[in-house]
Amino acid sequence: MAKYPRIDWLISQMRVVGGAEIFVYLVIPELKRRGWDIRLITIVADHNLSSLLEKHGIDVLSLSAKSKNDLSVWRKLQHIWKRSKPKILHTHLYHAGILGRLVGKSIGIPLVFCHQAGPENNRPLMRTIIDFITSHLVDQYVVPCKAVKLILNSREKVPLEKIDCIPYGIQPPSDRYLKSNESWKKFSEPVRLIAVGRLVPEKAQGVMIDAVNILAMRNYKLSLSILGDGPLRTELETHINQTNLAASVFLLGHQNNPYEWLQRADIFVLTSLWEGLSVALMEAMAIGLPVIATATGGTPELITHLQNGYLIPPNSPEALADAIEFLIHHPDVAKQMGENARKHISENYTIPRIVDQLERYYWKKLEEKALL
């Protein structure tokens, strides 16, 4: 077998825990375990996920930038790569993607891959312009779903043949978190809803709160636990108080082990206005929890309506309330959806399977460049 080459992963930051950060955190140790010479470089320092990766024996370098726009990191990266140049540079998140392609190509790194996670429907025009004029420096774009591939093609004019899909994945949950058949004879009262995601506009958690309010007016007893932190926390707290739902809706902040919370819930809800491929959604599906999610971005690539989940239009509290009500009255459908969801994730979206795809991808591109 060919010797495993050096790969650097460059990411903007690991402080805010989102889909890209979780992907990096889960995949890098598996690549190292399989023999890849891999190093993680972060633009902004953190003492959270990076420290945990170091405990796994991962080589982590921080450029210690004051912000993601700190121009001093250009010189730091040049210095690092002139001393030890990888054969592959794989970037994650916007700032790392731009910096990596500019510095990487100027240094002569043979392969530069840019990982684009989500559709970013509110993306500033300047980001799109910069991405467009520097896209020729990227050897290949990697995206988690077909929806993002089509957006890159239409928005940044990246040719479709220059975009490859490698989905996100999750660590298989322990058997103790799996939903049991007994739990589906009927729903508990109150029906326990759960959501996991950053408190940011695109996640639209206000839609969930409004749906709970609608169902309360229909005399249903529900609770909603929202896991995650973000800039909209105060706004959501005000929304909860204004709808008199402080005894029913709970903002629980970031939780290190969401499975502990998912296992105790009855229905998972995702109300995103746009998505790439939601890791939180996959985690809920993986334990057999019935899921209701908006049909945006890559979500319809994960969910077949009423087979392994329930799809609703975005920004519609009424549609979400109706979907919850339907599942409450059809626990047999909820049970079957959960079982199908668990099977779908275990067969297609676990970290070992995703790393299999990534390894084949790396070897293929190295061979095409005659770098083996």
Side-chain angles (χ1 to χ4, degrees):
M1 180 182 288
K3 182 181 178 181
Y4 286 86
R6 180 61 173 271
I7 300 177
D8 278 353
W9 277 25
L10 176 68
I11 190 168
S12 302
Q13 55 83 37
M14 292 285 283
R15 291 187 300 185
V16 179
V17 181
E21 294 83 3
I22 293 172
F23 179 79
V24 170
Y25 175 72
L26 294 177
V27 169
I28 279 187
E30 181 67 15
L31 285 171
K32 181 177 177 61
R33 188 186 68 79
R34 297 185 186 199
W36 291 87
D37 181 9
I38 190 160
R39 172 172 62 181
L40 175 66
I41 304 174
T42 67
I43 295 177
V44 179
D46 78 277
H47 302 287
N48 185 12
L49 295 180
S50 293
S51 297
L52 293 174
L53 285 171
E54 287 179 314
K55 290 179 180 178
H56 287 296
I58 306 300
D59 186 9
V60 181
L61 293 178
S62 173
L63 303 179
S64 300
K66 295 178 181 178
S67 74
K68 290 179 285 188
N69 297 312
D70 187 343
L71 295 179
S72 69
V73 299
W74 181 294
R75 294 190 301 275
K76 292 178 182 179
L77 269 181
Q78 284 183 321
H79 180 67
I80 289 169
W81 284 334
K82 282 179 180 177
R83 287 187 304 162
S84 176
K85 183 168 63 178
K87 285 189 176 180
I88 294 175
L89 170 63
H90 194 152
T91 72
H92 301 266
L93 300 178
Y94 173 76
H95 292 85
I98 299 299
L99 182 66
R101 72 188 72 170
L102 290 171
V103 181
K105 282 303 181 183
S106 71
I107 292 295
I109 294 175
L111 282 168
V112 177
F113 301 146
C114 182
H115 214 119
Q116 297 275 50
E120 292 182 284
N121 286 10
N122 65 342
R123 193 180 216 215
L125 177 61
M126 186 53 65
R127 285 196 175 192
T128 297
I129 293 172
I130 293 172
D131 242 338
F132 173 73
I133 63 179
T134 60
S135 62
H136 68 283
L137 299 172
V138 180
D139 290 285
Q140 206 75 16
Y141 286 85
V142 181
V143 297
C145 59
K146 294 175 184 176
V148 175
K149 178 174 183 174
L150 294 176
I151 287 172
L152 276 185
N153 174 249
S154 62
R155 187 179 63 199
E156 272 99 53
K157 310 305 177 189
V158 179
L160 290 174
E161 62 270 17
K162 200 175 178 178
I163 310 171
D164 295 303
C165 289
I166 298 177
Y168 286 160
I170 63 167
Q171 290 288 17
S174 167
D175 287 348
R176 71 189 181 94
Y177 296 125
L178 304 182
K179 300 294 286 185
S180 68
N181 288 336
E182 287 297 315
S183 64
W184 296 117
K185 290 181 178 178
K186 66 177 181 177
F187 282 98
S188 61
E189 193 174 280
V191 177
R192 298 162 299 183
L193 310 177
I194 191 167
V196 182
R198 292 192 64 223
L199 309 183
V200 291
E202 60 266 29
K203 297 299 182 182
Q205 285 97 347
V207 171
M208 307 174 192
I209 298 168
D210 288 338
V212 170
N213 192 39
I214 290 170
L215 287 165
M217 290 187 287
R218 296 179 188 174
N219 295 318
Y220 288 96
K221 294 180 180 179
L222 304 101
S223 69
L224 169 62
S225 298
I226 302 176
L227 279 58
D229 281 316
L232 292 190
R233 184 181 184 93
T234 300
E235 181 178 318
L236 290 170
E237 286 173 344
T238 300
H239 192 169
I240 291 166
N241 290 328
Q242 287 176 341
T243 48
N244 297 314
L245 291 173
S248 302
V249 180
F250 310 98
L251 302 180
L252 300 177
H254 173 72
Q255 301 294 328
N256 288 327
N257 184 4
Y259 286 128
E260 291 281 359
W261 297 87
L262 292 168
Q263 194 273 336
R264 297 197 291 266
D266 297 309
I267 300 171
F268 177 90
V269 293
L270 182 72
T271 51
S272 300
L273 302 178
W274 66 88
E275 273 291 347
L277 204 64
S278 171
V279 171
L281 177 61
M282 287 191 284
E283 288 174 337
M285 294 172 72
I287 69 166
L289 194 60
V291 299
I292 302 170
T294 46
T296 60
T299 299
E301 298 173 40
L302 276 177
I303 293 178
T304 300
H305 183 56
L306 288 181
Q307 290 188 25
N308 61 359
Y310 196 119
L311 292 173
I312 59 171
N315 208 23
S316 176
E318 294 80 8
L320 176 56
D322 290 344
I324 294 168
E325 186 173 26
F326 174 84
L327 292 183
I328 290 173
H329 289 289
H330 297 86
D332 54 331
V333 175
K335 173 180 177 290
Q336 191 60 56
M337 278 174 28
E339 290 178 354
N340 294 342
R342 181 166 61 198
K343 184 177 183 218
H344 183 57
I345 297 301
S346 67
E347 291 180 352
N348 298 284
Y349 294 99
T350 61
I351 287 298
R353 291 181 182 275
I354 301 311
V355 175
D356 285 345
Q357 293 184 45
L358 190 57
E359 281 196 291
R360 290 193 295 269
Y361 183 71
Y362 282 161
W363 288 125
K364 179 173 181 275
K365 295 303 177 183
L366 288 164
E367 186 176 4
E368 288 173 359
K369 281 266 190 174
L371 295 172
L372 296 177

